[in-house]
Amino acid sequence: MLQVNPERFLKTLHQLREFGAARVGKGVVRPAYSPQDIAARDWIAQQIRSAGLDARFDPVGNLFGLATDKSLLLGSHTDSQPEGGWLDGALGVMAALEITRASKEQGGPPVSVVNFQDEEGRFGVTTGSAVWSGQLSLESADQLEDRSGISFSDARKTLGDRCGDFIDPRHFNGFVEMHIEQGPSLDRAWQKIGVVTDIVGIRDLNITFCGAQNHAGTTPMDARQDAFQALAKFNQLLNDRFRNIVTPQTVWTIGHVALHPNAASIVPGKVMFSMQWRDGDAHRLLQMENVVRDTASDIARDQNMALSFGVMRGLDPVAMDEKLQQALQTSAGEIAPNAWRSMVSGALHDATNVAALMPTAMLFVPSINGISHDFCEDTSEDDLVVGLRVLARAVDRLS
Amino acid sequence: MLQVNPERFLKTLHQLREFGAARVGKGVVRPAYSPQDIAARDWIAQQIRSAGLDARFDPVGNLFGLATDKSLLLGSHTDSQPEGGWLDGALGVMAALEITRASKEQGGPPVSVVNFQDEEGRFGVTTGSAVWSGQLSLESADQLEDRSGISFSDARKTLGDRCGDFIDPRHFNGFVEMHIEQGPSLDRAWQKIGVVTDIVGIRDLNITFCGAQNHAGTTPMDARQDAFQALAKFNQLLNDRFRNIVTPQTVWTIGHVALHPNAASIVPGKVMFSMQWRDGDAHRLLQMENVVRDTASDIARDQNMALSFGVMRGLDPVAMDEKLQQALQTSAGEIAPNAWRSMVSGALHDATNVAALMPTAMLFVPSINGISHDFCEDTSEDDLVVGLRVLARAVDRLS
């Protein structure tokens, strides 16, 4: 049975943290293609080679550590948000590296490693794995720009001669990604492992109400067509109507609001706002869409507003592979009995893309207080090691 | 009895419209101290001289036309919003000019004219009359800047050698300002004249709710501290609680909303918003303040938000002079029987400031569809002439 080395695993995880260390808590600043990100990838490439694997960068900077034979692929990503935590995707990459090392040393099954690029979406969304999996063409990706106007095309040139061809996915017979939960469910329940059943689908719809811009002193309340009031009533009615449709795992958010003209002394004539909802069930996502559209129409009619919808954007839910899930569940039951659960992932991950290529699964460890994408992000070292052990046991079981 | 000349009045009103004509409807673009504004004031100074009055600019560009003897002062302002209507304050200035002309020609009572500067608040709020009335020191005004960073001090220098000293308010025994209503009350009621009883008081309070910024995918609904949801619930509860306090003349507005970080995929952790309310009764303004503060506190406690209030800003309600009101009411009853009302002004005007110096009153004519501060602003010419006649009759009555 494969025996991992927790001390070595934690030591390399802390070493990785030095690349882009924020010096605030354990935070890191390691956005995709930054000097810190590239230095981290170069160091991981060395680690891959010292573990006896073939280190290969593809054209967008996804870094693979290839076993000689067809194998399971383990990993995640080491790029961070502009203000990121030390674990996030880094955890999954360093756990993968430890397992390949242990397996090589002990004559275990072949295991490959991947460190995807720009999962955090400096350019797109999960850009590196989206290109590798064929969800996004390289030509389209090259047109993407970050907030400062730098193109993906120019950013990946900074990798210079590191890059070779894309890696043939037929080299792998499955993908397992270990990650922090980034939410509070495991932490609140005092549990150590989440085995992901589905990665949620997501829907984004911009909604605009147009009423009438008016003087905030001379326009009586009953003569107003106040766009902010329409938004507030929409929100209230939507929350009521969602009650009979949603599950405790469903989430919805109004996160962006733009009032026009946005001045204290003017009755706002227009509001554009974002409506986002996520669920593991595609049918429920559609039911929710119908409620969103109907509710906006009802409010527009009641409040005398013109209504327009933006383009509906989204990704469908992705189910994790049954056999891989089973291996993770059985291993979790052995290593963390009564301290694991099956759960939906509310965040997108590289696994969403890789699932289009091969059987895919995910494993979560707790996030303290559910905090992520923040310098305060953390997980107890005991929990990190439990996650590593469950992943190693599952690899053993699958080989 | 003083006989005004409606044709001459309307002709000069249309001539004034050529200064800064927007060529969209009857709109004008004549912000304070713009070349168009200064050209209009120079033309009005000529008109004042040709009416036999002494034309005088004070240090901030308020333009007076002084009668030889102590007199009533009539007028308003001719600066406009960046996109303004042709009437607004221009109406009151040109009506004043016609009455001084008619009175000179007919040996009527002495009447003086004023055209205040920057009523529309390119720099402050009713800046010119605020300085003249002593509500705002010239030193403080000089520090004010417009949106492009130009100071009031520099702007008033463009007047060059036009300016003399401030005019002694003891030259006048009262002030009457004619203005368009800028709201829909008279138009909706098919009425022609509003005699203002009070100019409303105004309160402005910025409110901030701080919850917790979180991932919109991984944070369950019951674990959120969503600042937008707190704002929406505050709005709903406030509307309910105001019902037992307000009158049909009371207004309140949330016109400015700043969510943080204002991104579709992030549960908003913070919202700063403006809360403004207006009423003619100082006691009611205070009752409303208590409800605003209590409701924000209740929401903060229920929704687990930190709460902070900005500095409370505002102006107290100003009552119009009884004797001047009486003269306007009697004249309105004679010229527009059953087609006038007493009413509160929901907008601030130069009269708010002048009331600190002398007995003051205001007279409104209808705004078609209540539209103002817009190129579409208009009033029927018949209604403009009714307003002129009521003002002239009141001047007669007061002399």
Side-chain angles (χ1 to χ4, degrees):
Chain A
M1 195 183 285
L2 199 55
Q3 295 297 327
V4 290
N5 182 335
E7 292 71 31
R8 181 168 61 183
F9 160 66
L10 291 172
K11 185 182 157 206
T12 55
L13 198 52
H14 281 285
Q15 283 177 307
L16 177 57
R17 183 161 71 78
E18 291 303 309
F19 294 89
R23 314 287 170 210
V24 176
K26 296 177 181 167
V28 297
V29 176
R30 203 164 58 214
Y33 305 106
S34 64
Q36 295 77 11
D37 169 60
I38 294 174
R41 283 171 196 269
D42 283 341
W43 177 76
I44 292 168
Q46 281 175 22
Q47 298 285 312
I48 285 171
R49 282 188 287 268
S50 78
L53 301 177
D54 181 16
R56 304 264 289 276
F57 284 93
D58 77 6
V60 298
N62 295 321
L63 169 61
F64 289 81
L66 299 179
T68 316
D69 300 321
K70 182 161 184 164
S71 72
L72 262 185
L73 179 66
L74 306 180
S76 185
H77 66 95
T78 61
D79 62 291
S80 83
Q81 286 281 330
E83 298 193 351
W86 72 299
L87 296 169
D88 204 311
L91 171 65
V93 175
M94 301 321 281
L97 197 61
E98 172 55 30
I99 290 170
T100 62
R101 277 202 169 110
S103 191
K104 274 275 180 185
E105 288 167 358
Q106 297 159 41
V111 184
S112 296
V113 180
V114 65
N115 177 6
F116 287 113
Q117 182 55 292
D118 196 28
E119 194 273 347
E120 298 293 1
R122 174 177 163 193
F123 294 94
V125 177
T126 62
T127 322
S129 58
V131 171
W132 183 55
S133 67
Q135 314 287 304
L136 175 68
S137 72
L138 187 55
E139 292 70 30
S140 302
D142 275 344
Q143 310 297 316
L144 298 171
E145 291 186 351
D146 73 1
R147 288 190 172 208
S148 65
I150 297 171
S151 71
F152 186 72
S153 165
D154 283 342
R156 67 189 183 87
K157 279 183 195 144
T158 57
L159 296 168
D161 60 5
R162 289 174 186 80
C163 300
D165 286 341
F166 284 108
I167 304 301
D168 187 340
R170 287 172 298 182
H171 200 87
F172 314 111
N173 51 30
F175 174 61
V176 185
E177 180 173 7
M178 176 173 162
H179 205 282
I180 55 167
E181 182 199 338
Q182 302 185 285
S185 303
L186 295 174
D187 190 50
R188 290 203 292 186
W190 297 82
Q191 290 185 313
K192 299 196 171 290
I193 296 291
V195 178
V196 175
T197 57
D198 303 87
I199 298 174
V200 295
I202 183 170
R203 295 288 180 270
D204 270 298
L205 186 63
N206 282 332
I207 304 178
T208 303
F209 288 124
C210 272
Q213 178 178 328
N214 267 309
H215 191 296
T218 58
T219 314
M221 298 309 280
D222 70 339
R224 295 184 175 200
Q225 295 166 254
D226 182 327
F228 173 74
Q229 293 299 323
L231 166 59
K233 290 198 173 76
F234 167 82
N235 177 70
Q236 181 187 351
L237 190 54
L238 188 76
N239 287 342
D240 286 345
R241 290 181 174 180
F242 270 173
R243 282 208 188 119
N244 296 326
I245 300 176
V246 298
T247 75
Q249 284 69 50
T250 314
V251 293
W252 62 98
T253 307
I254 293 175
H256 176 86
V257 172
L259 275 193
H260 181 84
N262 212 27
S265 282
I266 303 181
V267 178
K270 184 174 167 184
V271 64
M272 200 268 273
F273 62 98
S274 65
M275 182 74 230
Q276 183 187 90
W277 60 103
R278 306 191 192 208
D279 194 83
D281 177 345
H283 177 64
R284 184 171 294 112
L285 288 174
L286 181 61
Q287 282 183 295
M288 292 175 79
E289 179 183 345
N290 292 336
V291 172
V292 167
R293 290 185 186 272
D294 289 351
T295 303
S297 298
D298 291 348
I299 291 293
R301 197 173 47 247
D302 288 358
Q303 305 283 312
N304 203 11
M305 297 273 143
L307 168 66
S308 63
F309 294 106
V311 176
M312 180 78 176
R313 291 168 296 139
L315 289 168
D316 281 333
V318 174
M320 298 290 94
D321 179 74
E322 286 290 343
K323 187 179 145 221
L324 294 179
Q325 271 189 70
Q326 189 64 55
L328 289 168
Q329 287 165 358
T330 309
S331 304
E334 290 168 8
I335 291 168
N338 302 318
W340 69 277
R341 60 165 67 184
S342 290
M343 64 185 294
V344 164
S345 170
L348 299 180
H349 293 284
D350 291 313
T352 312
N353 296 316
V354 181
L357 298 175
M358 64 189 78
T360 292
M362 286 197 77
L363 174 70
F364 284 161
V365 295
S367 292
I368 294 173
N369 295 324
I371 294 168
S372 179
H373 291 178
D374 189 294
F375 292 152
C376 298
E377 172 191 290
D378 211 355
T379 300
S380 80
E381 296 200 345
D382 283 351
D383 289 351
L384 297 176
V385 170
V386 170
L388 173 71
R389 289 199 159 116
V390 171
L391 181 58
R393 182 77 57 99
V395 168
D396 233 4
R397 181 163 273 119
L398 288 161
S399 60
Chain B
M1 195 182 287
L2 198 56
Q3 295 296 324
V4 290
N5 182 335
E7 292 71 31
R8 182 170 59 183
F9 160 65
L10 292 171
K11 185 181 159 208
T12 55
L13 199 52
H14 281 285
Q15 282 177 307
L16 177 57
R17 183 160 71 77
E18 291 304 308
F19 294 90
R23 312 292 172 207
V24 176
K26 296 178 182 166
V28 297
V29 176
R30 204 164 55 215
Y33 305 105
S34 64
Q36 294 78 11
D37 168 60
I38 294 175
R41 284 172 196 268
D42 283 341
W43 176 77
I44 292 168
Q46 281 174 23
Q47 297 285 313
I48 285 171
R49 283 187 286 267
S50 78
L53 300 177
D54 181 16
R56 303 264 288 275
F57 284 93
D58 77 6
V60 298
N62 296 320
L63 169 61
F64 288 80
L66 299 179
T68 315
D69 300 320
K70 183 160 185 163
S71 73
L72 261 185
L73 179 66
L74 306 181
S76 185
H77 65 95
T78 62
D79 60 293
S80 84
Q81 286 282 328
E83 297 193 353
W86 72 300
L87 297 170
D88 204 311
L91 171 63
V93 175
M94 300 322 279
L97 198 60
E98 172 55 30
I99 290 170
T100 60
R101 277 201 169 110
S103 190
K104 275 274 180 186
E105 289 165 357
Q106 297 160 39
V111 183
S112 296
V113 180
V114 65
N115 178 5
F116 287 112
Q117 182 55 292
D118 197 28
E119 193 273 347
E120 299 293 1
R122 175 178 163 192
F123 293 93
V125 176
T126 61
T127 322
S129 58
V131 171
W132 183 54
S133 67
Q135 314 286 302
L136 176 67
S137 73
L138 187 56
E139 293 69 28
S140 302
D142 275 344
Q143 310 297 317
L144 297 171
E145 291 187 350
D146 73 1
R147 289 191 170 208
S148 66
I150 296 170
S151 70
F152 186 74
S153 166
D154 284 342
R156 68 189 183 86
K157 281 184 194 145
T158 58
L159 297 169
D161 60 6
R162 289 175 186 81
C163 300
D165 286 341
F166 283 109
I167 304 300
D168 187 340
R170 288 173 297 183
H171 199 86
F172 315 109
N173 51 30
F175 175 61
V176 185
E177 180 172 7
M178 175 171 163
H179 205 282
I180 55 168
E181 183 199 337
Q182 302 184 288
S185 303
L186 295 174
D187 190 51
R188 291 202 294 188
W190 298 83
Q191 290 186 314
K192 298 198 172 289
I193 296 290
V195 177
V196 176
T197 56
D198 304 87
I199 299 175
V200 295
I202 183 171
R203 294 288 181 270
D204 270 298
L205 185 63
N206 282 332
I207 303 177
T208 303
F209 287 125
C210 272
Q213 179 177 329
N214 267 309
H215 192 296
T218 58
T219 314
M221 299 308 280
D222 70 339
R224 296 184 175 200
Q225 294 165 256
D226 182 326
F228 173 74
Q229 294 299 323
L231 165 60
K233 291 198 173 79
F234 167 81
N235 177 68
Q236 181 188 347
L237 190 54
L238 188 75
N239 287 342
D240 287 345
R241 290 181 174 180
F242 270 172
R243 281 207 191 118
N244 295 327
I245 299 176
V246 298
T247 75
Q249 283 70 49
T250 315
V251 293
W252 62 98
T253 308
I254 293 175
H256 176 84
V257 172
L259 275 192
H260 182 83
N262 212 26
S265 283
I266 302 181
V267 178
K270 185 175 167 183
V271 64
M272 199 267 274
F273 63 98
S274 65
M275 182 73 229
Q276 182 186 90
W277 60 104
R278 305 190 192 210
D279 195 83
D281 176 345
H283 177 65
R284 184 171 293 111
L285 288 174
L286 180 61
Q287 281 184 298
M288 293 176 78
E289 179 184 345
N290 291 336
V291 172
V292 166
R293 291 186 186 271
D294 288 350
T295 303
S297 298
D298 290 348
I299 291 293
R301 194 173 49 245
D302 287 358
Q303 305 283 310
N304 202 11
M305 298 273 142
L307 167 66
S308 62
F309 294 106
V311 175
M312 182 78 174
R313 290 168 297 138
L315 288 167
D316 281 333
V318 174
M320 298 291 93
D321 179 74
E322 287 291 343
K323 184 177 149 224
L324 294 179
Q325 272 189 70
Q326 188 66 54
L328 290 167
Q329 289 166 355
T330 308
S331 304
E334 290 168 7
I335 292 168
N338 304 316
W340 70 277
R341 60 166 68 185
S342 289
M343 64 185 294
V344 164
S345 170
L348 297 180
H349 292 285
D350 291 312
T352 312
N353 295 317
V354 181
L357 299 175
M358 63 189 78
T360 292
M362 285 197 78
L363 174 70
F364 283 161
V365 296
S367 293
I368 294 172
N369 294 323
I371 295 169
S372 179
H373 290 177
D374 189 294
F375 292 153
C376 298
E377 173 191 290
D378 211 357
T379 299
S380 81
E381 296 199 346
D382 283 354
D383 288 351
L384 297 177
V385 170
V386 170
L388 173 70
R389 288 197 162 118
V390 171
L391 181 58
R393 181 78 55 100
V395 168
D396 235 3
R397 181 163 274 117
L398 288 162
S399 59

